[in-house]
């Protein structure tokens, strides 16, 4: 398209004097040359933006004609502690994103908005907590439910997981049909609200915000002090897209005493450093390596967790990193993968894999009954 734009621009200059007359044909020819040159230039700009952000991975992705199913593939397989919440319960405020005038929590579940203040780190974030219908049903009154963190990409807002990815709606349908077990889903940004707009990549920054500690300890204890959640690490998982996918796997790998499973939707596996992150590692190569998920697999004992990697060989820029992570994984780390045909780095692709991802998570988490 760039070559066509340059060619049409040159042709316009070359042919313009030939259509210098005042007749209808000359006027229409000049208009045609001008419009064609401008159109191709606009297409170049749009394609450049798409190439940078990976909104669409293919023509079928753009036109919505790719409906091929996705499948979980086994990558490798092999046949803790229980901290209790000791903080103050969170202030909870019910919020709605559907059009139902009188939602019934025992039928529709409930989304609550909370603000979490970290007792250890002093960090603060806003979160949306989806409580499944079973949470309000009498037969589950003694059930302590599994917990799934769901991180947005950066910068992202938790509401996007509700309105764009439709995580609660998809989970609700699958829970009510018995495809997955009921679980509590906590939707958050990968950077706490108190450090935005900085992209911290869920890092304990040397002499800076301790974001990893905030999510693995502060948030966990706040949830256990507020909701009927299971305390065993077998009941806790993390999921996310893009930066959120990197964070989800990172939390599980570095805090395997808290998380047993993680899902990376188009996440990356090497730490990033750009104008949004700044220096998260205090200039230390060792600290940066410690936050590289591939480096950890290559140089440290793998943690006893399960990881699902979803990526696309067609339109995912970090496909190479995902493949390297999968190749480096070894027991007791268990990895599975979803390769999305015609997928890209966008919400449409993530919605395609969401049901399979929720099913996978459900199979790896355990509830507790009092």
């Amino acid at each position: 398209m760039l070559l066509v734009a340059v060619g049409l621009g040159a042709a316009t200059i070359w042919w313009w004097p030939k259509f210098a007359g005042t007749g209808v044909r000359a006027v229409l020819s000049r208009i045609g040359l001008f419009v064609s040159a401008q159109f191709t230039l606009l297409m170049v700009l749009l394609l450049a933006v798409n190439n940078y952000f990976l909104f669409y991975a293919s023509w079928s992705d753009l036109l919505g004609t790719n409906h091929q199913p996705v499948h979980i593939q086994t990558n490798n397989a092999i046949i803790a502690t229980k901290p209790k919440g000791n903080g103050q319960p969170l202030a909870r405020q019910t919020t709605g994103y559907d059009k139902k005038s009188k939602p019934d929590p025992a039928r529709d579940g409930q989304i609550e908005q909370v603000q979490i203040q970290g007792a250890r780190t002093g960090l603060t974030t806003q979160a949306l907590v989806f409580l499944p219908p079973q949470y309000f049903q009498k037969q589950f009154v003694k059930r302590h439910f599994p917990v799934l963190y769901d991180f947005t990409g950066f910068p992202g807002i938790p509401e996007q997981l509700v309105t764009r990815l439709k995580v609660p709606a998809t989970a609700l349908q699958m829970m009510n049909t018995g495809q997955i077990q009921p679980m509590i889903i906590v939707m958050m940004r990968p950077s706490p609200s108190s450090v935005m707009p900085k992209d911290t990549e869920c890092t304990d920054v040397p002499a800076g915000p301790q974001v990893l500690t905030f999510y693995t300890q502060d948030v966990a204890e706040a949830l256990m002090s507020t909701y009927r959640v299971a305390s065993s690490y077998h009941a806790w998982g993390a999921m996310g897209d893009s930066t959120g996918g990197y964070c989800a796997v990172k939390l599980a790998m570095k805090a395997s005493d808290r998380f047993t499973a993680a899902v990376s939707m188009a996440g990356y596996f090497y730490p990033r450093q750009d104008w949004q992150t700044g220096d998260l590692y205090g200039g230390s190569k060792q600290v940066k390596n410690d936050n590289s998920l591939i480096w950890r697999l290559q140089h440290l004992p793998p943690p006893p967790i399960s990881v699902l990697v979803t990526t696309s060989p067609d339109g995912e820029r970090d496909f190479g990193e995902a493949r390297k992570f999968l190749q480096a994984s070894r027991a007791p780390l268990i990895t599975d993968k979803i390769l999305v045909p015609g997928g890209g780095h966008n919400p449409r692709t993530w919605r395609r894999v969401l049901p399979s991802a929720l099913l996978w998570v459900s199979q790896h988490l355990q509830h507790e009954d009092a």
Side-chain angles (χ1 to χ4, degrees), residues 67-86:
H67 302 295
Q68 298 180 55
V70 298
H71 304 283
I72 297 177
Q73 305 174 44
T74 300
N75 189 61
N76 58 35
I78 60 172
I79 304 295
T81 58
K82 295 184 179 181
K84 297 181 179 180
N86 53 12

Side-chain angles (χ1 to χ4, degrees), residues 126-347:
Q126 293 180 341
L128 295 177
V129 179
F130 171 69
L131 301 174
Q134 293 81 1
Y135 191 88
F136 304 95
Q137 296 172 5
K138 292 182 179 179
Q139 61 267 40
F140 292 94
V141 68
K142 294 184 178 181
R143 170 72 55 89
H144 287 72
F145 293 85
V147 178
L148 175 63
Y149 286 9
D150 192 1
F151 290 106
T152 69
F154 184 85
I157 55 175
E159 288 80 3
Q160 291 175 330
L161 296 173
V162 180
T163 59
R164 297 191 66 186
L165 264 66
K166 302 187 182 304
V167 174
T170 304
L172 176 63
Q173 181 182 13
M174 297 181 72
M175 291 175 191
N176 286 342
T177 56
Q179 298 177 67
I180 64 174
Q181 65 171 315
M183 66 184 77
I184 294 174
I185 302 176
V186 185
M187 294 165 279
M188 299 175 285
R189 284 171 162 165
S191 283
S193 305
S194 55
V195 301
M196 288 294 290
K198 186 179 181 64
D199 179 7
T200 60
E201 297 200 328
C202 298
T203 303
D204 278 349
V205 181
Q210 303 296 288
V211 180
L212 183 76
T213 299
F214 174 71
Y215 286 123
T216 58
Q217 298 187 43
D218 284 343
V219 173
E221 289 192 356
L223 294 171
M224 287 187 285
S225 298
T226 306
Y227 300 101
R228 297 198 317 274
V229 300
S231 59
S232 168
Y233 76 96
H234 290 294
W236 290 67
M239 179 172 73
D241 57 80
S242 192
T243 300
Y246 166 76
C247 283
V249 179
K250 183 178 182 178
L251 261 62
M253 290 187 69
K254 299 191 74 170
S256 57
D257 60 339
R258 165 52 46 212
F259 299 93
T260 191
V263 178
S264 168
M265 291 185 180
Y268 45 87
F269 298 89
Y270 285 114
R272 298 297 194 257
Q273 188 166 335
D274 53 31
W275 66 272
Q276 292 178 308
T277 66
D279 182 9
L280 298 174
Y281 317 108
S284 168
K285 182 178 179 181
Q286 180 55 46
V287 175
K288 189 173 183 178
N289 285 340
D290 188 58
N291 286 276
S292 168
L293 308 186
I294 294 176
W295 185 93
R296 295 181 68 86
L297 283 183
Q298 294 173 337
H299 297 86
L300 300 176
I305 61 172
S306 298
V307 175
L308 174 64
V309 176
T310 84
T311 185
S312 172
D314 301 320
E316 183 51 62
R317 181 175 296 159
D318 299 315
F319 174 72
E321 291 186 23
R323 181 171 55 185
K324 187 175 292 187
F325 177 86
L326 291 168
Q327 291 172 345
S329 63
R330 64 192 189 280
L333 173 68
I334 302 173
T335 53
D336 299 305
K337 60 188 176 183
I338 296 178
L339 302 181
V340 186
H345 198 85
N346 53 56

Side-chain angles (χ1 to χ4, degrees), residues 17 50 121 124 151 232 311 353:
N50 182 72
T121 64
T124 303
F151 290 106
S232 168
T311 185
V353 303

